[in-house]
Amino acid sequence: MLNLILEPLSFEFMREALATAILLGILCAVVGNYLIVQRMGILGDVIAHAVLPGLAIAFFLGVDIFLGAFICGTLSTFVISWIQSQSRIKVDVAMALVFSGFLALGIMLITLLKSKLDLHEFLFGDILSVTTDDVKRTIIITVFVLILVKLFYKELLFYTFDPLGAQASGLPINLIHFALNGAITLTIVASMQTVGVVLVVSLLIGPGITAYLLVKELYQMMHLGAVIGVISSVTGMYISYYLNVPSGAAIVLVVSVLFFLALFLSPTQGILTRPEIGHRRGRLLSQFKSQNPK
């Protein structure tokens, strides 16, 4: 048993991949909770696909493709906010338009610029190809975002649950809004190599909604979600190693399995274990006994 755990660690690429997966399991869970609370889970999917034009342009210019991805992902959130503020169009419709528009632009740029960008790697992830520089970048992003969340937790909490109240109290809600979107974009950019843009939303949302079924407070969701994110990432990496399957898909499947376990077995909200189920069973048993006396 111990050998099964230690064998993958004998390879440097697995150690670097596991380190990256653990960092992103924590980061995605913390940032993703804000998307869950604001009912904006689809925003992660929009940003994840909106980075494609930035990848194509950065690759063509010979600059860091992750810089291009961050700029383009941030731009997409500005466009969504601008459409929402300048018209009666609802945010979900604006996100759908930006999603399709940026994705189409990315595909067109890749064709026009004759880019040799490996789309498969960015769409589906390839964590086993991470380098030491990638690990360092992930550490910097994770520490930076977590420090900001810690420092401005109260302000973020107020804005997340009551944006109008936060504005009335004098908080710079526009700055908070774009800072939060920037943190989400950074998280997605950091996660592209792990699970890819197609599956990144699952890593952002899955641990948080699993924790939501088990605890009540936001800070508890963050802590438990981070634990679930780490467990999912490490377990998925070992499944990927031993079964020779894509690591991103393996991680997301573990996230999904843990969610459904919580959905069915959560002590307070589980489909099979919620208190009213027990009361209903008790009433049915009482009726059965009264109708079938010995």
Side-chain angles (χ1 to χ4, degrees):
M1 182 64 182
L2 185 60
N3 187 54
L4 292 176
I5 297 173
L6 296 179
E7 181 184 328
L9 300 179
S10 62
F11 301 99
E12 184 177 1
F13 73 90
M14 277 297 294
R15 293 196 296 270
E16 292 177 340
L18 281 167
T20 304
I22 290 170
L23 290 168
L24 292 177
I26 297 171
L27 179 61
C28 288
V30 171
V31 173
N33 274 294
Y34 287 107
L35 288 174
I36 294 168
V37 173
Q38 294 184 79
R39 299 179 181 179
M40 296 282 283
I42 190 63
L43 180 61
D45 205 21
V46 173
I47 297 174
H49 288 79
V51 302
L52 194 57
L55 290 172
I57 295 172
F59 190 84
F60 178 76
L61 297 176
V63 299
D64 190 336
I65 58 176
F66 291 98
L67 176 61
F70 175 75
I71 293 173
C72 206
T74 304
L75 178 63
S76 70
T77 64
F78 273 96
V79 174
I80 292 170
S81 299
W82 180 76
I83 292 173
Q84 188 182 8
S85 65
Q86 298 298 317
S87 67
R88 294 185 299 168
I89 295 174
K90 299 297 183 181
V91 65
D92 59 333
V93 180
M95 286 192 292
L97 179 64
V98 171
F99 174 96
S100 57
F102 272 70
L103 181 60
L105 177 61
I107 295 171
M108 183 176 292
L109 286 174
I110 290 173
T111 303
L112 291 175
L113 300 177
K114 295 179 173 57
S115 175
K116 295 181 181 179
L117 189 68
D118 186 0
L119 273 182
H120 186 275
E121 179 179 331
F122 290 101
L123 289 176
F124 302 103
D126 185 14
I127 194 173
L128 298 181
S129 68
V130 298
T131 63
T132 303
D133 289 338
D134 294 326
V135 177
K136 291 178 180 178
R137 178 168 48 217
T138 305
I139 291 173
I140 292 171
I141 292 174
T142 303
V143 172
F144 175 71
V145 173
L146 293 183
I147 288 175
L148 288 182
V149 170
K150 178 66 176 179
L151 290 176
F152 300 102
Y153 175 77
K154 291 182 179 179
E155 290 80 2
L156 288 170
L157 184 67
F158 193 6
Y159 167 77
T160 300
F161 284 98
D162 188 7
L164 294 178
Q167 184 177 23
S169 68
L171 286 177
I173 61 168
N174 288 330
L175 179 61
I176 294 174
H177 173 74
F178 289 117
L180 188 55
N181 285 339
I184 294 168
T185 305
L186 273 176
T187 302
I188 290 171
V189 169
S191 304
M192 286 192 305
Q193 262 187 303
T194 309
V195 293
V197 299
V198 172
L199 302 175
V200 68
V201 178
S202 296
L203 196 58
L204 267 173
I205 303 300
I209 58 174
T210 304
Y212 176 76
L213 294 172
L214 300 171
V215 295
K216 296 180 179 180
E217 302 294 335
L218 180 60
Y219 74 93
Q220 293 175 330
M221 286 174 59
M222 287 182 174
H223 287 92
L224 182 57
V227 173
I228 293 171
V230 170
I231 292 173
S232 301
S233 297
V234 173
T235 305
M237 287 299 304
Y238 274 88
I239 291 174
S240 172
Y241 176 83
Y242 283 109
L243 299 184
N244 193 27
V245 295
S247 54
I251 291 171
V252 170
L253 281 175
V254 175
V255 170
S256 301
V257 168
L258 292 178
F259 165 73
F260 280 106
L261 285 175
L263 179 64
F264 283 101
L265 302 175
S266 168
T268 57
Q269 301 186 60
I271 293 174
L272 300 178
T273 56
R274 62 181 60 149
E276 57 265 30
I277 296 294
H279 296 322
R280 190 179 304 135
R281 286 174 178 171
R283 289 197 302 270
L284 290 173
L285 183 61
S286 299
Q287 292 174 4
F288 177 80
K289 288 182 178 179
S290 63
Q291 295 172 4
N292 299 274
K294 291 183 178 179

